[in-house]
């Protein structure tokens, strides 16, 4: 999964990211503590070699459903760092990647 995730995030391949991220999000119990869930996602993202760090953006975007944003600092093969936002829809029964 390492190669697929890093290739998808570096190419901004939202369709591939959706498959990878939603597979991970399906393993998270939405009924657990929300902040713990967000920390778990942050820690999981930071395990990828292409990710130098992740910041959980405070608050949520007030939409229906609400959206939580993660700023992911990604290292390209030539060590250039770029910020990619991962937006997570917080649905009543699950979490889902929002490619918009």
């Amino acid at each position: 999964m390492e190669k697929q995730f890093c290739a998808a995030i570096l190419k901004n391949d939202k369709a591939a990211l959706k498959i990878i991220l939603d597979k991970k999000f399906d393993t998270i119990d939405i009924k657990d503590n929300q902040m713990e869930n967000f920390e778990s996602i942050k820690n999981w993202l930071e395990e990828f070699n292409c990710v130098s760090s992740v910041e959980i953006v405070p608050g949520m975007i007030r939409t229906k459903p609400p959206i939580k944003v993660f700023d992911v600092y990604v290292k390209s093969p030539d060590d250039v760092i770029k910020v990619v936002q991962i937006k997570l829809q917080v649905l009543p029964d699950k979490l889902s990647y929002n490619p918009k």
Side-chain angles (χ1 to χ4, degrees):
M1 182 185 302
E2 175 92 25
K3 285 184 181 182
Q4 294 93 337
F5 174 82
C6 290
I9 201 161
L10 285 168
K11 292 178 186 174
N12 198 27
D13 183 343
K14 293 180 181 193
L17 278 173
K18 180 155 183 59
I19 292 167
I20 295 165
L21 294 172
D22 282 349
K23 189 174 189 179
K24 171 61 178 175
F25 299 155
D26 284 345
T27 67
I28 296 173
D29 185 356
I30 190 73
K31 293 175 180 69
D32 283 347
N33 179 293
Q34 198 172 59
M35 198 56 210
E36 286 178 16
N37 285 337
F38 297 152
E39 283 293 330
S40 172
I41 293 166
K42 174 188 182 291
N43 293 336
W44 176 75
L45 289 167
E46 288 178 336
E47 290 176 8
F48 291 102
N49 290 332
C50 60
V51 175
S52 62
S53 66
V54 177
E55 292 180 12
I56 302 172
V57 176
M60 289 217 241
I61 299 173
R62 294 181 192 207
T63 57
K64 290 191 180 189
I67 295 175
K68 185 65 177 172
V69 178
F70 295 80
D71 285 338
V72 182
Y73 293 81
V74 182
K75 297 180 283 192
S76 68
D78 54 353
D79 286 332
V80 173
I81 304 285
K82 72 176 189 174
V83 180
V84 176
Q85 284 196 328
I86 290 180
K87 296 176 182 173
L88 170 66
Q89 290 179 323
V90 182
L91 301 162
D93 58 341
K94 69 177 189 167
L95 302 172
S96 177
Y97 173 65
N98 181 340
K100 296 178 184 176

